[in-house]
Amino acid sequence: MRIKRQKRIGQPLWLDLAIPVGGLLMAFLASGVFLVMMGVSPIEAYREMYYSAFGDSYGLSECMVKAIPLAMTAIALMLSFKMLIWNIGAEGQIFMGAIAATAAVRYFPVEGHWTMMTIMGISAIIAGGIWAAFAGYLRARWNVNEIITTLMMNYIAIHLMDYFVYGPWRDPSSLGFPMTAPFPETAKLVPIGWGRVHSGIFIALALILLAWWVFKMTRWGYEIRVIGENPKAATFAGIDYVKNVVVVMFISGAIAGLAGMSEVAGLQGRLQHGFSGGFGYTAIIVAWLSRLNPLAIAIVSFLMGGLLVGGESLQIVMGLPIASTLVVQGCILFFILAGEFFRRYRIVLVKEEI
């Protein structure tokens, strides 16, 4: 008797639902073991996380605050993942967008709110887009591994931001803290009156609907899906592979850059060290949990925002380190990716003939 894997011909609907749910349950079970090892009751920890995130209006607004950059970045990653281009550099593209938006505030200040926001948005789009398109061109033209290049470019972008906030852009009145001077009111996204939620939420919703429309209704969206399913067949069909990879990576980076602008203009009000909090990496989990579905990204981003808010509550109430939240996130990603194997293959026992 031996174990053999067989490729599934089709995936039933129940399997599409069971795998992510089962992956989440396994992730919380594994995280529970970790919490027990730290001397914390998993039930109490999960209860605290739930009520701090979803128990009142303030918790819900904080979930929404976290969901805004997550949704925007997950949409950015979804575009490249659909084409099987593994853009792991969203974190760096967020930083480049935030740097460019801050540069616009410093060097091109204008009085009008909408004019200032437009200049900041365009700057962030160009910076994030070019940052990602460079890796896309290397991938499409010379088959350079985009996972390595985008990941390494993250560190360049992060250190570049540190150079500015520790150096020439540091606010002299910040008492030595690595941050720029506060943005003027014209360079801030407007609060919508619910906690700290700002008007960046409308940008995120617009991007979700636009991405859904592109992939469902346009020929370009169809071409992206074809390239993702079979690049050689797409080339034989006359689809320009190099051009599409570079364009998709530019748009992917541009959206991530816009997320960086939204974060500094809507929440931080200035550029400062560690402003992102790893949204570029967490958005990878969001994109996979959503199965690259734009509408699902809206829901999963909100739930992941709840996980982040709950994790912060664990630090405050139970005194757990931030690593505890990262362990939960890592477990979720691990079990979701592991579940993809069972979605593609079935495990069967085969009798060996004697």
Side-chain angles (χ1 to χ4, degrees):
M1 188 77 72
R2 63 189 177 89
I3 300 175
K4 183 181 178 181
R5 69 176 184 179
Q6 285 184 349
K7 191 174 180 61
R8 294 182 186 274
I9 298 176
Q11 290 87 30
L13 179 61
W14 69 266
L15 192 64
D16 288 339
L17 297 174
I19 285 179
V21 172
L24 284 174
L25 292 176
M26 291 297 294
F28 283 118
L29 184 62
S31 303
V33 173
F34 170 75
L35 291 171
V36 169
M37 293 171 63
M38 297 189 69
V40 176
S41 167
I43 296 176
E44 290 184 11
Y46 292 149
R47 183 189 295 128
E48 174 61 34
M49 292 175 70
Y50 175 79
Y51 282 109
S52 62
F54 307 116
D56 55 27
S57 176
Y58 178 77
L60 291 171
S61 71
E62 285 299 297
C63 295
M64 197 61 73
V65 167
K66 304 286 187 188
I68 293 172
L70 282 178
M72 295 172 71
T73 311
I75 289 291
L77 294 175
M78 181 207 68
L79 289 174
S80 60
F81 289 175
K82 282 272 189 185
M83 197 182 271
L84 299 188
I85 302 297
W86 308 114
N87 176 17
I88 311 298
E91 183 76 358
Q93 292 144 26
I94 289 174
F95 274 80
M96 292 305 297
I99 293 171
T102 305
V105 176
R106 288 181 61 88
Y107 302 117
F108 304 102
V110 294
E111 292 295 330
H113 171 71
W114 292 109
T115 306
M116 188 70 252
M117 296 309 303
T118 302
I119 295 174
M120 292 171 67
I122 292 174
S123 302
I125 286 171
I126 293 175
I130 292 177
W131 199 251
F134 176 69
Y137 183 77
L138 294 178
R139 170 68 170 83
R141 191 71 178 83
W142 292 296
N143 201 31
V144 177
N145 190 312
E146 75 279 9
I147 297 176
I148 302 298
T149 52
T150 53
L151 186 62
M152 293 298 104
M153 290 173 75
N154 284 348
Y155 295 103
I156 298 174
I158 292 170
H159 288 301
L160 183 63
M161 190 208 69
D162 282 347
Y163 164 74
F164 286 117
V165 298
Y166 278 98
W169 288 1
R170 181 161 62 179
D171 182 7
S173 64
S174 66
L175 302 177
F177 290 101
M179 59 180 64
T180 65
F183 290 174
E185 290 302 317
T186 54
K188 293 181 181 178
L189 289 169
V190 181
I192 66 170
W194 179 29
R196 297 192 300 161
V197 183
H198 52 81
S199 54
I201 190 174
F202 300 118
I203 302 175
L205 291 174
L207 288 172
I208 288 169
L209 294 176
L210 182 63
W212 176 84
W213 178 77
V214 165
F215 281 103
K216 287 291 183 183
M217 303 295 181
T218 68
R219 176 178 175 176
W220 185 56
Y222 172 75
E223 290 182 354
I224 291 176
R225 295 202 307 271
V226 170
I227 293 174
E229 292 171 2
N230 195 327
K232 290 184 178 179
T235 303
F236 286 134
I239 299 174
D240 191 330
Y241 179 75
V242 174
K243 173 187 169 185
N244 275 289
V245 168
V246 174
V247 170
V248 165
M249 281 295 283
F250 178 87
I251 296 174
S252 178
I255 296 174
L258 203 57
M261 186 278 284
S262 168
E263 192 65 7
V264 294
L267 194 64
Q268 311 288 340
R270 60 174 59 177
L271 183 65
Q272 57 184 323
H273 175 76
F275 78 93
S276 169
F279 287 129
Y281 300 113
T282 308
I284 297 174
I285 304 175
V286 173
W288 274 110
L289 283 174
S290 308
R291 304 189 63 79
L292 306 184
N293 183 320
L295 301 181
I297 281 176
I299 300 171
V300 176
S301 297
F302 179 75
L303 296 177
M304 187 60 73
L307 178 63
L308 296 178
V309 173
E312 292 174 353
S313 177
L314 285 184
Q315 296 177 62
I316 299 171
V317 177
M318 295 189 168
L320 293 177
I322 185 64
S324 58
T325 307
L326 299 178
V327 167
V328 177
Q329 289 182 24
C331 287
I332 291 174
L333 181 59
F334 174 80
F335 283 105
I336 291 298
L337 291 178
E340 284 299 305
F341 173 83
F342 295 100
R343 185 171 168 269
R344 294 172 181 269
Y345 301 96
R346 66 172 73 243
I347 303 297
V348 295
L349 297 176
V350 179
K351 289 184 179 179
E352 292 184 342
E353 297 182 357
I354 301 176

